[in-house]
């Protein structure tokens, strides 16, 4: 009898262990290289990763609706503005991790440890060098200059990438100057803002406009592509790292945090800490052309290494994210739809 009870207890324990060895991730990243990233985590820890991928707003909405019943342990989003919005909605737990605090620079994590950046991207100017000089391309102001009337291609002003850039300008140069810049860009568009960053690069290559904005990984993806049509695009379109009034190019992050009611907090912490390892950082850099957030990680992506030594703005990602509503109001006011 004792033996039977003992075996039953062992079995029950095994069940608990087996059930616990998984982590549920809600991610808005949709890159093939992330499959390898999570597979590597499972290989190292034995923890299975169940991933649900959807658009940022959908994931946040889903988390809100699920509340305490949510199966989600980890939320991964692109851009500090979105992560800050998730935190403000009470969806992210505070995570005390010496590993994360030591590995990730303070600039790229929320000051009370609710979310952490795991990869860095710069918001740069894409331009046609036959129409825009290298000097002009080094300034965000050029996009708003009267000489660029009808020559600018940009995505929606409501998109977090543009909201965060404007937020950084508000902090660095003041609200009046940032508003004037946004109005200048809105007045200069060659067409109604539409599509993603890659669409703006392609539009410049097609001659629809002379200048635009893109996150670095979209351009580098085209550089690393072996499709003839992409090669043609990068032959024509160049990028420049603008120096925002001497402060440096605006940089942002893709990152994540632990969900407030995570059913597997131990596994969630392990995953978050894994994302800051040299191994995981390499997947972001080599697989998706993003800059590692951790210093000194060896990167074999030549195109990424080729542009890595630029002056980046040192503004805190949380400070940028906190201004998203002010930035959105300005975009609305100036008509950058
Ligand atoms: Fe993106």
């Amino acid at each position: 009898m004792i033996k039977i009870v003992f075996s039953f207890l062992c079995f029950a324990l095994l069940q608990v262990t087996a059930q616990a060895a998984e982590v549920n991730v809600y991610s808005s990243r949709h890159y093939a290289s992330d499959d390898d990233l999570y597979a590597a985590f499972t290989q190292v820890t034995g923890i299975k990763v169940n991933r649900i991928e959807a658009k940022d707003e959908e994931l946040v909405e889903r988390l809100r609706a699920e509340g305490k019943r949510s199966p989600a342990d980890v939320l991964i989003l692109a851009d500090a503005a979105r992560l800050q919005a998730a935190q403000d909605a009470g969806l992210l737990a505070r995570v005390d991790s010496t590993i994360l605090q030591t590995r990730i620079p303070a600039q790229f994590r929320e000051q009370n440890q609710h979310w952490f950046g795991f990869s860095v991207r710069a918001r740069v100017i894409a331009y046609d060098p036959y129409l825009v000089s290298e000097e002009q391309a080094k300034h965000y102001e050029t996009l708003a200059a009267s000489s660029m009337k009808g020559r600018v291609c940009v995505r929606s002003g409501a998109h977090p990438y543009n909201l965060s850039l404007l937020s950084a300008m508000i902090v660095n140069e003041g609200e009046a100057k940032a508003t004037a810049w946004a109005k200048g860009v809105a007045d200069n568009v060659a067409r109604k803002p539409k599509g993603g960053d890659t669409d703006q690069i392609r539009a410049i290559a097609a001659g629809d406009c002379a200048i635009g904005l893109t996150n670095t990984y979209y351009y580098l993806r085209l550089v690393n592509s072996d499709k003839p049509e992409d090669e043609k695009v990068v032959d024509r379109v160049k990028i420049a790292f603008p120096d925002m009034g001497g402060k440096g190019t605006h940089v942002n992050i893709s990152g994540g945090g632990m969900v407030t009611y995570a059913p597997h907090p131990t596994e969630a912490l392990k995953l978050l800490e894994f994302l800051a390892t040299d191994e995981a950082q390499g997947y972001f850099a080599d697989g998706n052309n993003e800059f590692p957030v951790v210093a000194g990680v060896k990167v074999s992506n030549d195109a990424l290494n080729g542009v890595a030594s630029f002056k980046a703005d040192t503004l805190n990602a949380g400070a940028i994210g906190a201004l998203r509503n002010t930035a959105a109001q300005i975009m609305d006011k100036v008509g950058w739809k």
Side-chain angles (χ1 to χ4, degrees):
M1 180 62 186
I2 290 169
K3 211 171 162 189
I4 293 171
V5 171
F6 181 70
S7 340
F8 174 76
L9 278 175
C10 286
F11 179 72
L13 198 68
L14 263 176
Q15 286 290 96
V16 168
T17 317
Q19 269 174 13
E22 63 177 0
V23 63
N24 300 323
V25 178
Y26 282 12
S27 172
S28 70
R29 290 172 57 90
H30 47 88
Y31 315 121
S33 55
D34 285 7
D35 294 342
D36 302 334
L37 173 72
Y38 293 115
F41 171 71
T42 303
Q43 186 149 41
V44 174
T45 60
I47 299 167
K48 188 177 164 229
V49 179
N50 306 309
R51 191 158 33 121
I52 287 180
E53 287 186 354
K55 290 203 162 139
D56 303 74
E57 316 80 65
E58 284 166 25
L59 291 177
V60 168
E61 212 27 69
R62 186 170 171 158
L63 274 176
R64 267 188 217 265
E66 288 172 343
K68 289 185 180 174
R69 300 182 320 276
S70 178
D73 296 300
V74 169
L75 177 67
I76 304 279
L77 299 174
D79 205 281
R82 285 169 168 149
L83 286 160
Q84 191 59 48
Q87 181 193 340
D88 291 346
L91 301 172
L92 296 174
R94 186 191 166 109
V95 172
D96 279 314
S97 159
T98 312
I99 292 178
L100 292 176
Q101 290 194 45
T102 334
R103 300 273 293 168
I104 301 171
Q107 181 188 356
F108 299 121
R109 53 182 157 84
E110 197 272 320
Q111 57 174 345
N112 294 314
Q113 323 303 336
H114 287 87
W115 48 263
F116 305 85
F118 293 112
S119 60
V120 176
R121 54 278 293 282
R123 193 129 187 87
V124 298
I125 286 182
Y127 67 104
D128 179 340
Y130 293 100
L131 303 173
V132 176
S133 73
E134 205 184 326
E135 180 49 40
Q136 283 176 306
K138 282 185 192 156
H139 306 278
Y140 291 114
E141 287 84 353
T142 301
L143 291 159
S146 54
S147 59
M148 292 298 147
K149 187 103 193 148
R151 304 169 81 192
V152 175
C153 276
V154 278
R155 77 193 302 166
S156 166
H159 193 277
Y161 297 166
N162 288 333
L163 290 178
S164 286
L165 173 60
L166 188 60
S167 299
M169 281 186 188
I170 295 171
V171 179
N172 286 334
E173 314 205 52
E175 199 170 323
K177 224 173 161 185
T179 306
W181 177 81
K183 181 162 186 343
V185 178
D187 289 349
N188 279 349
V189 293
R191 56 179 193 183
K192 198 172 165 285
K194 63 173 181 180
D197 288 351
T198 308
D199 297 307
Q200 318 311 321
I201 300 171
R202 291 193 194 285
I204 296 167
D208 295 340
C209 35
I211 190 168
L213 282 166
T214 182
N215 278 356
T216 33
Y217 55 92
Y218 292 113
Y219 182 79
L220 295 170
R221 194 182 288 164
L222 296 172
V223 172
N224 281 330
S225 163
D226 40 27
K227 288 186 193 153
E229 65 265 32
D230 294 341
E231 282 169 11
K232 265 196 204 158
V233 169
V234 293
D235 273 349
R236 181 69 190 255
V237 183
K238 304 292 167 221
I239 54 166
F241 288 75
D243 191 354
M244 195 191 298
K247 296 259 169 50
T249 301
H250 167 63
V251 288
N252 213 297
I253 47 137
S254 172
M258 191 188 296
V259 174
T260 307
Y261 301 110
H264 310 106
T266 310
E267 290 75 9
L269 178 61
K270 276 193 184 148
L271 178 57
L272 292 171
E273 290 180 341
F274 173 78
L275 294 177
T277 60
D278 281 14
E279 185 183 5
Q281 290 288 300
Y283 283 104
F284 291 121
D286 295 331
N288 198 45
N289 303 297
E290 292 170 273
F291 301 106
V293 75
V294 176
V297 172
K298 204 178 156 337
V299 173
S300 51
N301 183 338
D302 290 339
L304 186 67
N305 286 331
V307 297
S309 58
F310 65 95
K311 184 182 174 190
D313 188 8
T314 55
L315 205 55
N316 182 276
I320 294 171
L323 278 171
R324 69 192 182 285
N325 292 331
T326 309
Q329 281 162 11
I330 292 174
M331 291 295 201
D332 226 35
K333 194 167 88 184
V334 303
W336 183 346
K337 299 286 180 202

